[in-house]
Amino acid sequence: MKITAARLIICSPDRNFVTLKIETDEGIYGLGDGTLNGRELAVAAYLEEHVIPCLIGRDPFQIEDIWQYLYRGAYWRRGPVTMTAIAAVDVALWDIKAKALNTPLYNLLGGRSRQGVLVYTHANGNDIAEAVESVQQHMAEGYLAVRAQCGIPGVKSSYGVPKAGKPYEPAERGLPSESVWSTPPYLQHVPKLFAAVRNACGDDVHLLHDVHHRLTPMEAARLGKDLEPYRLFWMEDPCPAELQESFSLIRQHTTTPIATGEVFNSIWDTHDLIRNQWIDYLRMTIVHAGGITHAKKAADFASIYNVKTGFHGATDLSPVTMAAALHFGTAIHNFGIQEHMPHSKLTDEVFRSGYRFDAGYMMVGEEPGLGVEIDEKLAARHPYKPAYLPIARRLDGSLTDW
Ligand code: KDG
Ligand code: MG
């Protein structure tokens, strides 16, 4: 089999997505997601100008060799743009191979290890009462695990809280909006949120919280300790992770489990965190970390140290990535949980997928490959619109991590 063409479908069915379609001489094609929220066209240009011309004529079954060719062959390594572009190619090749062998993708990753993939979704509210109600609503929908975020008194546009009753979507049209951040009220308020949620929702639901990189290691240690009575499933991204040893300090002080890595793009971002057992869950995701080929190596490495996966799955990861993550989670042994933020109706019309939600779990379909089709005509009716993630400033005006 030979790759005969590869092209990009860039569209905005309620939010922006970059999708790579790779075609072969046998009429089989594969889809890969190349969406990097707020930086979409950088990946598109990388693919268009530097990757696609090198793919034509290659054997799509040589997934490992093509991965190494795009990674080592570029000389310049890593980075979110490069690794997202490589992921788009990699996932499309796995899709092609599974379709050619007429089997669902999970069968190429070791076969089925579990019936369904445990997922968590997002609950949020402007205040604690609204957030509690939102957790209860998601439990009523069947979710067994829920992330809870709420507005913090005195903090404008708190992370994770939707504006004007819309579903939560951080990227906004126009230049980046500015939000305000203040750590002391946040540290006071979050334990109160989880006290109220546990009290109203009982002991059985798994509760998660995303700190979104905003604390210092010592502040995160304090928060982890204060949350211990509420037995969280995890505290996510407690502080920025460029300095992996920061997590040693958090770990010494708290038994609240820790998840990190949604902004990682390589196994090299994770190895101190994993081999020192400073984290419990790895958030690094297929689309931003070189695809299935690289994520499998990271997950296997993590498995030696009892670290499980908890892949990123916000709406900026397209249904193509969601399907890839679900096949991956169905197959690997050290799967932990998968984030599931449902896409809009329009997104799901453009990307028709075979997966479905059932009583707290996501089930992959049995279609060959990923089980996702793209409606290119509908996609063309929703062209790309520039949008950016917000930035955050402290009360004194200085820039901080959003
Ligand atoms: O593009 C950025 C979002 O995907 C991110 O802010 C969402 O932190 C996030 C999460 O855990 O879903
Ligand atoms: Mg997060």
Side-chain angles (χ1 to χ4, degrees):
M1 197 186 285
K2 293 257 179 289
I3 297 173
T4 48
R7 61 196 165 77
L8 294 171
I9 302 151
I10 304 175
C11 62
S12 192
D14 291 339
R15 69 161 344 284
N16 290 324
F17 294 109
V18 173
T19 307
L20 177 68
K21 185 169 187 176
I22 299 184
E23 294 168 355
T24 65
D25 56 354
E26 294 189 16
I28 295 174
Y29 67 85
L31 295 178
D33 180 18
T35 309
L36 183 62
N37 208 3
R39 295 291 185 272
E40 294 86 359
L41 298 188
V43 180
Y46 192 97
L47 282 164
E48 196 79 70
E49 305 295 332
H50 305 294
V51 173
I52 289 175
C54 304
L55 294 177
I56 309 306
R58 288 183 188 278
D59 175 356
F61 267 44
Q62 292 185 340
I63 298 177
E64 178 71 28
D65 186 63
I66 291 177
W67 195 94
Q68 299 295 344
Y69 177 88
L70 295 176
Y71 182 81
R72 288 174 205 281
Y75 185 62
W76 311 109
R77 295 186 185 195
R78 303 166 57 181
V81 173
T82 301
M83 297 304 274
T84 302
I86 294 177
V89 175
D90 185 77
V91 171
L93 298 182
W94 282 99
D95 191 22
I96 289 172
K97 187 178 277 196
K99 282 175 177 163
L101 298 175
N102 195 29
T103 191
L105 180 52
Y106 66 78
N107 274 333
L108 305 190
L109 304 175
R112 193 179 270 287
S113 285
R114 56 186 52 76
Q115 296 313 315
V117 168
L118 179 69
V119 290
Y120 74 92
T121 197
H122 292 192
N124 36 47
N126 286 309
D127 56 25
I128 289 178
E130 271 183 32
V132 168
E133 204 179 303
S134 172
V135 174
Q136 287 170 325
Q137 267 169 22
H138 292 305
M139 288 170 67
E141 288 159 14
Y143 284 98
L144 305 172
V146 184
R147 181 187 101 162
Q149 312 286 138
C150 75
I152 307 298
V155 175
K156 193 179 139 228
S157 315
S158 304
Y159 169 76
V161 180
K163 287 187 186 147
K166 292 190 196 145
Y168 183 65
E169 166 52 68
E172 290 172 338
R173 297 288 311 279
L175 294 176
S177 68
E178 301 211 354
S179 58
V180 175
W181 178 248
S182 175
T183 299
Y186 172 79
L187 288 179
Q188 293 283 338
H189 205 64
V190 173
K192 293 180 194 160
L193 165 67
F194 282 93
V197 175
R198 267 287 170 238
N199 188 35
C201 303
D203 287 338
D204 291 345
V205 61
H206 297 303
L207 296 175
L208 301 86
H209 180 70
D210 192 350
V211 182
H212 221 255
H213 329 268
R214 294 190 180 195
L215 300 177
T216 64
M218 192 49 95
E219 289 163 351
R222 159 61 58 204
L223 180 64
K225 250 176 131 110
D226 288 350
L227 291 174
E228 280 171 19
Y230 314 113
R231 298 174 313 284
L232 264 59
F233 188 97
W234 78 35
M235 169 171 80
E236 175 182 339
D237 287 334
C239 63
E242 285 97 331
L243 185 65
Q244 296 185 37
E245 66 211 58
S246 304
F247 285 70
S248 151
L249 196 147
I250 306 172
R251 200 61 154 175
Q252 283 164 36
H253 292 285
T254 180
T255 56
T256 295
I258 299 170
T260 199
E262 69 181 42
V263 300
F264 293 175
N265 50 71
S266 153
I267 197 168
W268 305 109
D269 295 326
T270 73
H271 75 294
D272 288 338
L273 290 168
I274 291 173
R275 75 187 168 85
N276 291 300
Q277 295 177 289
W278 289 332
I279 59 169
D280 301 276
Y281 295 93
L282 181 61
R283 301 263 304 140
M284 196 170 95
T285 175
I286 287 169
V287 58
H288 299 141
I292 291 170
T293 298
H294 197 58
K296 182 75 167 67
K297 287 174 182 158
D300 288 344
F301 174 58
S303 74
I304 301 171
Y305 297 94
N306 295 313
V307 175
K308 294 183 177 177
T309 61
F311 285 177
H312 189 199
T315 38
D316 45 297
L317 285 69
S318 94
V320 173
T321 289
M322 179 52 84
L326 294 176
H327 282 279
F328 195 93
T330 298
I332 64 162
H333 182 253
N334 61 324
F335 167 79
I337 199 165
Q338 169 65 46
E339 183 177 14
H340 175 231
M341 202 180 157
H343 287 105
S344 76
K345 192 166 168 285
L346 182 58
T347 298
D348 282 336
E349 280 166 14
V350 169
F351 297 91
R352 286 189 309 271
S353 58
Y355 55 74
R356 67 187 164 83
F357 177 77
D358 184 13
Y361 295 84
M362 294 291 282
M363 310 291 177
V364 281
E366 290 298 312
E367 306 83 5
L370 283 168
V372 182
E373 296 294 334
I374 185 164
D375 181 337
E376 293 191 50
K377 283 199 183 121
L378 187 56
R381 291 194 355 231
H382 300 278
Y384 167 79
K385 299 172 183 158
Y388 287 94
L389 290 168
I391 60 124
R393 291 188 186 277
R394 299 185 192 93
L395 296 177
D396 69 358
S398 57
L399 204 95
T400 186
D401 297 278
W402 171 72

